[in-house]
Amino acid sequence: DVKVTQSSRYLVKRTGEKVFLECVQDMDHENMFWYRQDPGLGLRLIYFSYDVKMKEKGDIPEGYSVSREKKERFSLILESASTNQTSMYLCASTGTQYEQYFGPGTRLTVT
Amino acid sequence: KQEVTQIPAALSVPEGENLVLNCSFTDSAIYNLQWFRQDPGKGLTSLLLIQSSQREQTSGRLNASLDKSSGRSTLYIAASQPGDSATYLCAVRGWSGGYQKVTFGTGTKLQVIP
């Protein structure tokens, strides 16, 4: 079974802090994605990566950056957390059939 | 721009009933369509993946169909159980700006009443 894990299930941070969310997949997938999910807005793509050290902006990249130093790991960075970044963050990877596999999510609260 | 709609937004049925969830999309040039379930506060669990060349896929009590020409997919759940209570999302994969792009519906929240 494909496994996508995320470093934290719940996270509480203060405004202005630098926040790291980590995602690891164990199926040697090339493609990895970060989404945020908000009530009424659905899932929105923040960044994605098709290869190591490669990144592309999604629909809402402002205030975020990413890092992919190893194939299995894709990190989302909030350089200076703000209250409007309080959300559920979901990581996903895709296999050869382009089937998406999601991690359990990180509920981030910025106070 | 692809738009994906799921109607109804919420559905409540008695246990044992067969039910159909709907997913509509505006651009028929898709690569595949995937159905997920999401339990409260959790990630998305993949249920079924239908490639653009396929008409349906089945897994246990679930059957998903795809009609690209009409821009519709349905998820059929047979003999519903309380454990089926969750939000069901469909996701359509197409192309945008040279990359494949996935567009999600906003989901149907299903409650199965014992």
Side-chain angles (χ1 to χ4, degrees), chain B residues 4-42:
Chain B
V4 180
T5 304
Q6 292 185 249
I7 295 173
L11 182 64
S12 185
V13 299
E15 181 178 1
E17 190 163 298
N18 302 325
L19 59 102
V20 174
L21 305 180
N22 297 297
C23 173
S24 299
F25 48 94
T26 55
D27 185 349
S28 61
I30 68 170
Y31 186 88
N32 65 31
L33 185 146
Q34 192 169 0
W35 282 94
F36 297 90
R37 72 172 277 167
Q38 185 176 31
D39 295 289
K42 302 285 181 65

PDB file of all heavy atoms in Angstrom, chain B residues 4-42:
ATOM      1  N   VAL B   4     -15.919  21.806 -11.523  1.00  0.00           N
ATOM      2  CA  VAL B   4     -16.472  20.526 -11.086  1.00  0.00           C
ATOM      3  C   VAL B   4     -17.528  20.799 -10.028  1.00  0.00           C
ATOM      4  O   VAL B   4     -17.268  21.499  -9.053  1.00  0.00           O
ATOM      5  CB  VAL B   4     -15.360  19.623 -10.520  1.00  0.00           C
ATOM      6  CG1 VAL B   4     -15.948  18.289 -10.064  1.00  0.00           C
ATOM      7  CG2 VAL B   4     -14.279  19.389 -11.556  1.00  0.00           C
ATOM      8  N   THR B   5     -18.707  20.236 -10.258  1.00  0.00           N
ATOM      9  CA  THR B   5     -19.847  20.479  -9.376  1.00  0.00           C
ATOM     10  C   THR B   5     -20.366  19.166  -8.825  1.00  0.00           C
ATOM     11  O   THR B   5     -20.502  18.179  -9.567  1.00  0.00           O
ATOM     12  CB  THR B   5     -20.990  21.176 -10.153  1.00  0.00           C
ATOM     13  OG1 THR B   5     -20.474  22.381 -10.741  1.00  0.00           O
ATOM     14  CG2 THR B   5     -22.133  21.532  -9.219  1.00  0.00           C
ATOM     15  N   GLN B   6     -20.660  19.156  -7.542  1.00  0.00           N
ATOM     16  CA  GLN B   6     -21.258  17.974  -6.928  1.00  0.00           C
ATOM     17  C   GLN B   6     -22.582  18.381  -6.269  1.00  0.00           C
ATOM     18  O   GLN B   6     -22.618  19.259  -5.412  1.00  0.00           O
ATOM     19  CB  GLN B   6     -20.313  17.367  -5.882  1.00  0.00           C
ATOM     20  CG  GLN B   6     -19.073  16.752  -6.498  1.00  0.00           C
ATOM     21  CD  GLN B   6     -18.213  16.059  -5.483  1.00  0.00           C
ATOM     22  OE1 GLN B   6     -17.117  16.511  -5.162  1.00  0.00           O
ATOM     23  NE2 GLN B   6     -18.692  14.921  -4.985  1.00  0.00           N
ATOM     24  N   ILE B   7     -23.609  17.705  -6.717  1.00  0.00           N
ATOM     25  CA  ILE B   7     -24.947  17.965  -6.193  1.00  0.00           C
ATOM     26  C   ILE B   7     -25.578  16.628  -5.823  1.00  0.00           C
ATOM     27  O   ILE B   7     -25.495  15.678  -6.600  1.00  0.00           O
ATOM     28  CB  ILE B   7     -25.822  18.683  -7.246  1.00  0.00           C
ATOM     29  CG1 ILE B   7     -25.233  20.067  -7.530  1.00  0.00           C
ATOM     30  CG2 ILE B   7     -27.257  18.797  -6.771  1.00  0.00           C
ATOM     31  CD1 ILE B   7     -25.921  20.786  -8.665  1.00  0.00           C
ATOM     32  N   PRO B   8     -26.207  16.508  -4.624  1.00  0.00           N
ATOM     33  CA  PRO B   8     -26.409  17.584  -3.652  1.00  0.00           C
ATOM     34  C   PRO B   8     -25.178  17.811  -2.778  1.00  0.00           C
ATOM     35  O   PRO B   8     -24.275  16.992  -2.750  1.00  0.00           O
ATOM     36  CB  PRO B   8     -27.579  17.049  -2.821  1.00  0.00           C
ATOM     37  CG  PRO B   8     -27.367  15.566  -2.824  1.00  0.00           C
ATOM     38  CD  PRO B   8     -26.808  15.243  -4.187  1.00  0.00           C
ATOM     39  N   ALA B   9     -25.179  18.894  -2.037  1.00  0.00           N
ATOM     40  CA  ALA B   9     -24.082  19.160  -1.107  1.00  0.00           C
ATOM     41  C   ALA B   9     -24.160  18.250   0.105  1.00  0.00           C
ATOM     42  O   ALA B   9     -23.148  17.940   0.731  1.00  0.00           O
ATOM     43  CB  ALA B   9     -24.097  20.620  -0.673  1.00  0.00           C
ATOM     44  N   ALA B  10     -25.375  17.829   0.450  1.00  0.00           N
ATOM     45  CA  ALA B  10     -25.563  16.942   1.594  1.00  0.00           C
ATOM     46  C   ALA B  10     -26.710  15.996   1.299  1.00  0.00           C
ATOM     47  O   ALA B  10     -27.645  16.334   0.577  1.00  0.00           O
ATOM     48  CB  ALA B  10     -25.845  17.739   2.858  1.00  0.00           C
ATOM     49  N   LEU B  11     -26.597  14.796   1.871  1.00  0.00           N
ATOM     50  CA  LEU B  11     -27.578  13.753   1.615  1.00  0.00           C
ATOM     51  C   LEU B  11     -27.710  12.890   2.859  1.00  0.00           C
ATOM     52  O   LEU B  11     -26.697  12.498   3.447  1.00  0.00           O
ATOM     53  CB  LEU B  11     -27.098  12.918   0.429  1.00  0.00           C
ATOM     54  CG  LEU B  11     -27.975  11.782  -0.078  1.00  0.00           C
ATOM     55  CD1 LEU B  11     -29.289  12.339  -0.614  1.00  0.00           C
ATOM     56  CD2 LEU B  11     -27.241  11.011  -1.172  1.00  0.00           C
ATOM     57  N   SER B  12     -28.940  12.597   3.241  1.00  0.00           N
ATOM     58  CA  SER B  12     -29.194  11.752   4.403  1.00  0.00           C
ATOM     59  C   SER B  12     -30.106  10.615   3.980  1.00  0.00           C
ATOM     60  O   SER B  12     -31.174  10.871   3.406  1.00  0.00           O
ATOM     61  CB  SER B  12     -29.843  12.585   5.524  1.00  0.00           C
ATOM     62  OG  SER B  12     -29.997  11.822   6.686  1.00  0.00           O
ATOM     63  N   VAL B  13     -29.669   9.369   4.220  1.00  0.00           N
ATOM     64  CA  VAL B  13     -30.450   8.219   3.787  1.00  0.00           C
ATOM     65  C   VAL B  13     -30.519   7.194   4.913  1.00  0.00           C
ATOM     66  O   VAL B  13     -29.622   7.142   5.765  1.00  0.00           O
ATOM     67  CB  VAL B  13     -29.818   7.562   2.532  1.00  0.00           C
ATOM     68  CG1 VAL B  13     -29.767   8.543   1.376  1.00  0.00           C
ATOM     69  CG2 VAL B  13     -28.450   6.990   2.822  1.00  0.00           C
ATOM     70  N   PRO B  14     -31.546   6.353   4.923  1.00  0.00           N
ATOM     71  CA  PRO B  14     -31.591   5.274   5.917  1.00  0.00           C
ATOM     72  C   PRO B  14     -30.667   4.137   5.513  1.00  0.00           C
ATOM     73  O   PRO B  14     -30.408   3.899   4.328  1.00  0.00           O
ATOM     74  CB  PRO B  14     -33.057   4.829   5.876  1.00  0.00           C
ATOM     75  CG  PRO B  14     -33.534   5.211   4.531  1.00  0.00           C
ATOM     76  CD  PRO B  14     -32.779   6.426   4.122  1.00  0.00           C
ATOM     77  N   GLU B  15     -30.170   3.445   6.511  1.00  0.00           N
ATOM     78  CA  GLU B  15     -29.278   2.307   6.272  1.00  0.00           C
ATOM     79  C   GLU B  15     -29.929   1.305   5.340  1.00  0.00           C
ATOM     80  O   GLU B  15     -31.133   1.030   5.422  1.00  0.00           O
ATOM     81  CB  GLU B  15     -28.962   1.637   7.612  1.00  0.00           C
ATOM     82  CG  GLU B  15     -28.015   0.456   7.517  1.00  0.00           C
ATOM     83  CD  GLU B  15     -27.695  -0.124   8.889  1.00  0.00           C
ATOM     84  OE1 GLU B  15     -28.235   0.381   9.898  1.00  0.00           O
ATOM     85  OE2 GLU B  15     -26.886  -1.072   8.950  1.00  0.00           O
ATOM     86  N   GLY B  16     -29.115   0.750   4.438  1.00  0.00           N
ATOM     87  CA  GLY B  16     -29.593  -0.271   3.521  1.00  0.00           C
ATOM     88  C   GLY B  16     -30.005   0.256   2.168  1.00  0.00           C
ATOM     89  O   GLY B  16     -30.154  -0.513   1.211  1.00  0.00           O
ATOM     90  N   GLU B  17     -30.179   1.564   2.079  1.00  0.00           N
ATOM     91  CA  GLU B  17     -30.624   2.145   0.810  1.00  0.00           C
ATOM     92  C   GLU B  17     -29.473   2.202  -0.181  1.00  0.00           C
ATOM     93  O   GLU B  17     -28.320   2.421   0.182  1.00  0.00           O
ATOM     94  CB  GLU B  17     -31.159   3.547   1.059  1.00  0.00           C
ATOM     95  CG  GLU B  17     -31.876   4.161  -0.122  1.00  0.00           C
ATOM     96  CD  GLU B  17     -32.733   5.335   0.296  1.00  0.00           C
ATOM     97  OE1 GLU B  17     -33.672   5.135   1.092  1.00  0.00           O
ATOM     98  OE2 GLU B  17     -32.442   6.455  -0.168  1.00  0.00           O
ATOM     99  N   ASN B  18     -29.798   2.008  -1.474  1.00  0.00           N
ATOM    100  CA  ASN B  18     -28.828   2.233  -2.551  1.00  0.00           C
ATOM    101  C   ASN B  18     -28.872   3.715  -2.897  1.00  0.00           C
ATOM    102  O   ASN B  18     -29.940   4.339  -2.894  1.00  0.00           O
ATOM    103  CB  ASN B  18     -29.193   1.410  -3.787  1.00  0.00           C
ATOM    104  CG  ASN B  18     -29.252  -0.075  -3.483  1.00  0.00           C
ATOM    105  OD1 ASN B  18     -28.481  -0.581  -2.660  1.00  0.00           O
ATOM    106  ND2 ASN B  18     -30.161  -0.781  -4.119  1.00  0.00           N
ATOM    107  N   LEU B  19     -27.719   4.297  -3.199  1.00  0.00           N
ATOM    108  CA  LEU B  19     -27.721   5.720  -3.482  1.00  0.00           C
ATOM    109  C   LEU B  19     -26.715   6.070  -4.572  1.00  0.00           C
ATOM    110  O   LEU B  19     -25.779   5.310  -4.860  1.00  0.00           O
ATOM    111  CB  LEU B  19     -27.424   6.521  -2.204  1.00  0.00           C
ATOM    112  CG  LEU B  19     -26.105   6.246  -1.516  1.00  0.00           C
ATOM    113  CD1 LEU B  19     -25.112   7.343  -1.829  1.00  0.00           C
ATOM    114  CD2 LEU B  19     -26.284   6.141  -0.004  1.00  0.00           C
ATOM    115  N   VAL B  20     -26.940   7.245  -5.167  1.00  0.00           N
ATOM    116  CA  VAL B  20     -26.088   7.733  -6.253  1.00  0.00           C
ATOM    117  C   VAL B  20     -25.612   9.140  -5.930  1.00  0.00           C
ATOM    118  O   VAL B  20     -26.416  10.011  -5.588  1.00  0.00           O
ATOM    119  CB  VAL B  20     -26.856   7.738  -7.588  1.00  0.00           C
ATOM    120  CG1 VAL B  20     -26.005   8.384  -8.680  1.00  0.00           C
ATOM    121  CG2 VAL B  20     -27.237   6.316  -7.981  1.00  0.00           C
ATOM    122  N   LEU B  21     -24.316   9.328  -6.032  1.00  0.00           N
ATOM    123  CA  LEU B  21     -23.727  10.656  -5.892  1.00  0.00           C
ATOM    124  C   LEU B  21     -23.295  11.143  -7.270  1.00  0.00           C
ATOM    125  O   LEU B  21     -22.793  10.363  -8.074  1.00  0.00           O
ATOM    126  CB  LEU B  21     -22.521  10.610  -4.947  1.00  0.00           C
ATOM    127  CG  LEU B  21     -22.782  10.015  -3.560  1.00  0.00           C
ATOM    128  CD1 LEU B  21     -21.501  10.046  -2.729  1.00  0.00           C
ATOM    129  CD2 LEU B  21     -23.902  10.743  -2.855  1.00  0.00           C
ATOM    130  N   ASN B  22     -23.476  12.422  -7.513  1.00  0.00           N
ATOM    131  CA  ASN B  22     -23.225  12.982  -8.843  1.00  0.00           C
ATOM    132  C   ASN B  22     -22.041  13.931  -8.878  1.00  0.00           C
ATOM    133  O   ASN B  22     -21.786  14.666  -7.917  1.00  0.00           O
ATOM    134  CB  ASN B  22     -24.459  13.753  -9.319  1.00  0.00           C
ATOM    135  CG  ASN B  22     -25.655  12.852  -9.467  1.00  0.00           C
ATOM    136  OD1 ASN B  22     -25.658  11.934 -10.277  1.00  0.00           O
ATOM    137  ND2 ASN B  22     -26.686  13.096  -8.670  1.00  0.00           N
ATOM    138  N   CYS B  23     -21.354  13.917 -10.005  1.00  0.00           N
ATOM    139  CA  CYS B  23     -20.222  14.805 -10.240  1.00  0.00           C
ATOM    140  C   CYS B  23     -20.313  15.284 -11.687  1.00  0.00           C
ATOM    141  O   CYS B  23     -20.373  14.455 -12.602  1.00  0.00           O
ATOM    142  CB  CYS B  23     -18.916  14.051  -9.999  1.00  0.00           C
ATOM    143  SG  CYS B  23     -17.411  14.947 -10.437  1.00  0.00           S
ATOM    144  N   SER B  24     -20.341  16.605 -11.883  1.00  0.00           N
ATOM    145  CA  SER B  24     -20.396  17.165 -13.235  1.00  0.00           C
ATOM    146  C   SER B  24     -19.177  18.014 -13.487  1.00  0.00           C
ATOM    147  O   SER B  24     -18.702  18.710 -12.577  1.00  0.00           O
ATOM    148  CB  SER B  24     -21.652  18.036 -13.391  1.00  0.00           C
ATOM    149  OG  SER B  24     -22.812  17.285 -13.189  1.00  0.00           O
ATOM    150  N   PHE B  25     -18.677  17.973 -14.718  1.00  0.00           N
ATOM    151  CA  PHE B  25     -17.510  18.773 -15.071  1.00  0.00           C
ATOM    152  C   PHE B  25     -17.746  19.440 -16.417  1.00  0.00           C
ATOM    153  O   PHE B  25     -18.502  18.938 -17.257  1.00  0.00           O
ATOM    154  CB  PHE B  25     -16.222  17.943 -15.069  1.00  0.00           C
ATOM    155  CG  PHE B  25     -16.298  16.632 -15.794  1.00  0.00           C
ATOM    156  CD1 PHE B  25     -15.900  16.534 -17.123  1.00  0.00           C
ATOM    157  CD2 PHE B  25     -16.770  15.492 -15.157  1.00  0.00           C
ATOM    158  CE1 PHE B  25     -15.971  15.323 -17.792  1.00  0.00           C
ATOM    159  CE2 PHE B  25     -16.829  14.281 -15.810  1.00  0.00           C
ATOM    160  CZ  PHE B  25     -16.444  14.191 -17.140  1.00  0.00           C
ATOM    161  N   THR B  26     -17.102  20.594 -16.631  1.00  0.00           N
ATOM    162  CA  THR B  26     -17.421  21.418 -17.795  1.00  0.00           C
ATOM    163  C   THR B  26     -16.552  21.124 -19.018  1.00  0.00           C
ATOM    164  O   THR B  26     -16.989  21.342 -20.142  1.00  0.00           O
ATOM    165  CB  THR B  26     -17.291  22.904 -17.436  1.00  0.00           C
ATOM    166  OG1 THR B  26     -15.974  23.143 -16.899  1.00  0.00           O
ATOM    167  CG2 THR B  26     -18.337  23.310 -16.413  1.00  0.00           C
ATOM    168  N   ASP B  27     -15.336  20.646 -18.809  1.00  0.00           N
ATOM    169  CA  ASP B  27     -14.423  20.369 -19.924  1.00  0.00           C
ATOM    170  C   ASP B  27     -14.257  18.853 -20.046  1.00  0.00           C
ATOM    171  O   ASP B  27     -13.734  18.204 -19.138  1.00  0.00           O
ATOM    172  CB  ASP B  27     -13.063  21.030 -19.659  1.00  0.00           C
ATOM    173  CG  ASP B  27     -12.097  20.882 -20.822  1.00  0.00           C
ATOM    174  OD1 ASP B  27     -12.381  20.104 -21.760  1.00  0.00           O
ATOM    175  OD2 ASP B  27     -11.041  21.555 -20.797  1.00  0.00           O
ATOM    176  N   SER B  28     -14.677  18.313 -21.183  1.00  0.00           N
ATOM    177  CA  SER B  28     -14.673  16.860 -21.338  1.00  0.00           C
ATOM    178  C   SER B  28     -13.294  16.292 -21.692  1.00  0.00           C
ATOM    179  O   SER B  28     -13.107  15.077 -21.716  1.00  0.00           O
ATOM    180  CB  SER B  28     -15.671  16.450 -22.421  1.00  0.00           C
ATOM    181  OG  SER B  28     -15.315  17.026 -23.665  1.00  0.00           O
ATOM    182  N   ALA B  29     -12.320  17.163 -21.951  1.00  0.00           N
ATOM    183  CA  ALA B  29     -10.971  16.695 -22.282  1.00  0.00           C
ATOM    184  C   ALA B  29     -10.220  16.360 -21.001  1.00  0.00           C
ATOM    185  O   ALA B  29      -9.331  17.098 -20.562  1.00  0.00           O
ATOM    186  CB  ALA B  29     -10.224  17.760 -23.086  1.00  0.00           C
ATOM    187  N   ILE B  30     -10.568  15.231 -20.419  1.00  0.00           N
ATOM    188  CA  ILE B  30      -9.968  14.867 -19.138  1.00  0.00           C
ATOM    189  C   ILE B  30      -9.038  13.677 -19.304  1.00  0.00           C
ATOM    190  O   ILE B  30      -9.161  12.902 -20.265  1.00  0.00           O
ATOM    191  CB  ILE B  30     -11.041  14.557 -18.076  1.00  0.00           C
ATOM    192  CG1 ILE B  30     -11.799  13.272 -18.423  1.00  0.00           C
ATOM    193  CG2 ILE B  30     -12.001  15.734 -17.921  1.00  0.00           C
ATOM    194  CD1 ILE B  30     -12.694  12.791 -17.294  1.00  0.00           C
ATOM    195  N   TYR B  31      -8.136  13.529 -18.354  1.00  0.00           N
ATOM    196  CA  TYR B  31      -7.219  12.387 -18.353  1.00  0.00           C
ATOM    197  C   TYR B  31      -7.792  11.250 -17.515  1.00  0.00           C
ATOM    198  O   TYR B  31      -7.746  10.088 -17.889  1.00  0.00           O
ATOM    199  CB  TYR B  31      -5.856  12.820 -17.810  1.00  0.00           C
ATOM    200  CG  TYR B  31      -4.797  11.767 -17.895  1.00  0.00           C
ATOM    201  CD1 TYR B  31      -4.024  11.634 -19.036  1.00  0.00           C
ATOM    202  CD2 TYR B  31      -4.551  10.895 -16.829  1.00  0.00           C
ATOM    203  CE1 TYR B  31      -3.046  10.663 -19.128  1.00  0.00           C
ATOM    204  CE2 TYR B  31      -3.581   9.922 -16.912  1.00  0.00           C
ATOM    205  CZ  TYR B  31      -2.831   9.815 -18.049  1.00  0.00           C
ATOM    206  OH  TYR B  31      -1.875   8.846 -18.139  1.00  0.00           O
ATOM    207  N   ASN B  32      -8.297  11.613 -16.333  1.00  0.00           N
ATOM    208  CA  ASN B  32      -8.973  10.628 -15.486  1.00  0.00           C
ATOM    209  C   ASN B  32      -9.863  11.334 -14.479  1.00  0.00           C
ATOM    210  O   ASN B  32      -9.866  12.569 -14.378  1.00  0.00           O
ATOM    211  CB  ASN B  32      -7.987   9.679 -14.788  1.00  0.00           C
ATOM    212  CG  ASN B  32      -7.066  10.368 -13.797  1.00  0.00           C
ATOM    213  OD1 ASN B  32      -7.428  11.361 -13.174  1.00  0.00           O
ATOM    214  ND2 ASN B  32      -5.870   9.821 -13.627  1.00  0.00           N
ATOM    215  N   LEU B  33     -10.648  10.557 -13.751  1.00  0.00           N
ATOM    216  CA  LEU B  33     -11.516  11.076 -12.695  1.00  0.00           C
ATOM    217  C   LEU B  33     -11.377  10.143 -11.502  1.00  0.00           C
ATOM    218  O   LEU B  33     -11.373   8.909 -11.644  1.00  0.00           O
ATOM    219  CB  LEU B  33     -12.967  11.144 -13.175  1.00  0.00           C
ATOM    220  CG  LEU B  33     -13.988  11.788 -12.222  1.00  0.00           C
ATOM    221  CD1 LEU B  33     -15.058  12.528 -13.023  1.00  0.00           C
ATOM    222  CD2 LEU B  33     -14.603  10.786 -11.291  1.00  0.00           C
ATOM    223  N   GLN B  34     -11.269  10.735 -10.328  1.00  0.00           N
ATOM    224  CA  GLN B  34     -11.031   9.938  -9.123  1.00  0.00           C
ATOM    225  C   GLN B  34     -12.073  10.313  -8.072  1.00  0.00           C
ATOM    226  O   GLN B  34     -12.364  11.503  -7.879  1.00  0.00           O
ATOM    227  CB  GLN B  34      -9.615  10.196  -8.597  1.00  0.00           C
ATOM    228  CG  GLN B  34      -9.124   9.242  -7.532  1.00  0.00           C
ATOM    229  CD  GLN B  34      -7.632   9.399  -7.267  1.00  0.00           C
ATOM    230  OE1 GLN B  34      -6.941  10.220  -7.876  1.00  0.00           O
ATOM    231  NE2 GLN B  34      -7.103   8.592  -6.356  1.00  0.00           N
ATOM    232  N   TRP B  35     -12.607   9.301  -7.393  1.00  0.00           N
ATOM    233  CA  TRP B  35     -13.525   9.515  -6.279  1.00  0.00           C
ATOM    234  C   TRP B  35     -12.800   9.247  -4.966  1.00  0.00           C
ATOM    235  O   TRP B  35     -12.053   8.264  -4.844  1.00  0.00           O
ATOM    236  CB  TRP B  35     -14.731   8.582  -6.386  1.00  0.00           C
ATOM    237  CG  TRP B  35     -15.767   9.022  -7.375  1.00  0.00           C
ATOM    238  CD1 TRP B  35     -15.876   8.645  -8.682  1.00  0.00           C
ATOM    239  CD2 TRP B  35     -16.860   9.915  -7.120  1.00  0.00           C
ATOM    240  NE1 TRP B  35     -16.962   9.252  -9.255  1.00  0.00           N
ATOM    241  CE2 TRP B  35     -17.591  10.024  -8.331  1.00  0.00           C
ATOM    242  CE3 TRP B  35     -17.298  10.621  -6.006  1.00  0.00           C
ATOM    243  CZ2 TRP B  35     -18.724  10.828  -8.439  1.00  0.00           C
ATOM    244  CZ3 TRP B  35     -18.429  11.412  -6.120  1.00  0.00           C
ATOM    245  CH2 TRP B  35     -19.132  11.502  -7.318  1.00  0.00           C
ATOM    246  N   PHE B  36     -13.063  10.126  -3.997  1.00  0.00           N
ATOM    247  CA  PHE B  36     -12.463  10.012  -2.674  1.00  0.00           C
ATOM    248  C   PHE B  36     -13.568  10.062  -1.609  1.00  0.00           C
ATOM    249  O   PHE B  36     -14.639  10.622  -1.834  1.00  0.00           O
ATOM    250  CB  PHE B  36     -11.523  11.199  -2.382  1.00  0.00           C
ATOM    251  CG  PHE B  36     -10.338  11.325  -3.279  1.00  0.00           C
ATOM    252  CD1 PHE B  36     -10.410  12.064  -4.456  1.00  0.00           C
ATOM    253  CD2 PHE B  36      -9.134  10.739  -2.941  1.00  0.00           C
ATOM    254  CE1 PHE B  36      -9.297  12.209  -5.272  1.00  0.00           C
ATOM    255  CE2 PHE B  36      -8.007  10.886  -3.747  1.00  0.00           C
ATOM    256  CZ  PHE B  36      -8.106  11.619  -4.915  1.00  0.00           C
ATOM    257  N   ARG B  37     -13.232   9.541  -0.430  1.00  0.00           N
ATOM    258  CA  ARG B  37     -14.028   9.835   0.741  1.00  0.00           C
ATOM    259  C   ARG B  37     -13.134  10.529   1.769  1.00  0.00           C
ATOM    260  O   ARG B  37     -11.914  10.295   1.815  1.00  0.00           O
ATOM    261  CB  ARG B  37     -14.663   8.588   1.356  1.00  0.00           C
ATOM    262  CG  ARG B  37     -13.741   7.652   2.064  1.00  0.00           C
ATOM    263  CD  ARG B  37     -14.528   6.559   2.803  1.00  0.00           C
ATOM    264  NE  ARG B  37     -14.997   7.008   4.103  1.00  0.00           N
ATOM    265  CZ  ARG B  37     -15.906   6.364   4.828  1.00  0.00           C
ATOM    266  NH1 ARG B  37     -16.476   5.248   4.369  1.00  0.00           N
ATOM    267  NH2 ARG B  37     -16.283   6.814   6.011  1.00  0.00           N
ATOM    268  N   GLN B  38     -13.746  11.411   2.533  1.00  0.00           N
ATOM    269  CA  GLN B  38     -13.010  12.124   3.568  1.00  0.00           C
ATOM    270  C   GLN B  38     -13.826  12.097   4.849  1.00  0.00           C
ATOM    271  O   GLN B  38     -14.960  12.578   4.883  1.00  0.00           O
ATOM    272  CB  GLN B  38     -12.720  13.576   3.154  1.00  0.00           C
ATOM    273  CG  GLN B  38     -11.846  14.316   4.148  1.00  0.00           C
ATOM    274  CD  GLN B  38     -11.479  15.708   3.706  1.00  0.00           C
ATOM    275  OE1 GLN B  38     -12.236  16.368   3.003  1.00  0.00           O
ATOM    276  NE2 GLN B  38     -10.301  16.182   4.115  1.00  0.00           N
ATOM    277  N   ASP B  39     -13.239  11.540   5.885  1.00  0.00           N
ATOM    278  CA  ASP B  39     -13.846  11.563   7.201  1.00  0.00           C
ATOM    279  C   ASP B  39     -13.457  12.863   7.893  1.00  0.00           C
ATOM    280  O   ASP B  39     -12.412  13.445   7.587  1.00  0.00           O
ATOM    281  CB  ASP B  39     -13.400  10.349   8.009  1.00  0.00           C
ATOM    282  CG  ASP B  39     -13.915   9.062   7.376  1.00  0.00           C
ATOM    283  OD1 ASP B  39     -15.131   8.844   7.449  1.00  0.00           O
ATOM    284  OD2 ASP B  39     -13.118   8.306   6.792  1.00  0.00           O
ATOM    285  N   PRO B  40     -14.268  13.337   8.836  1.00  0.00           N
ATOM    286  CA  PRO B  40     -14.006  14.643   9.464  1.00  0.00           C
ATOM    287  C   PRO B  40     -12.591  14.744  10.026  1.00  0.00           C
ATOM    288  O   PRO B  40     -12.137  13.873  10.778  1.00  0.00           O
ATOM    289  CB  PRO B  40     -15.069  14.703  10.570  1.00  0.00           C
ATOM    290  CG  PRO B  40     -16.184  13.858  10.068  1.00  0.00           C
ATOM    291  CD  PRO B  40     -15.523  12.725   9.330  1.00  0.00           C
ATOM    292  N   GLY B  41     -11.896  15.797   9.667  1.00  0.00           N
ATOM    293  CA  GLY B  41     -10.562  16.049  10.195  1.00  0.00           C
ATOM    294  C   GLY B  41      -9.477  15.148   9.648  1.00  0.00           C
ATOM    295  O   GLY B  41      -8.352  15.157  10.158  1.00  0.00           O
ATOM    296  N   LYS B  42      -9.811  14.376   8.625  1.00  0.00           N
ATOM    297  CA  LYS B  42      -8.828  13.429   8.086  1.00  0.00           C
ATOM    298  C   LYS B  42      -8.463  13.773   6.634  1.00  0.00           C
ATOM    299  O   LYS B  42      -9.048  14.667   6.019  1.00  0.00           O
ATOM    300  CB  LYS B  42      -9.422  12.002   8.117  1.00  0.00           C
ATOM    301  CG  LYS B  42      -9.853  11.537   9.499  1.00  0.00           C
ATOM    302  CD  LYS B  42      -8.678  11.185  10.361  1.00  0.00           C
ATOM    303  CE  LYS B  42      -9.083  10.689  11.739  1.00  0.00           C
ATOM    304  NZ  LYS B  42      -9.833   9.418  11.689  1.00  0.00           N
TER     305      LYS B  42
END
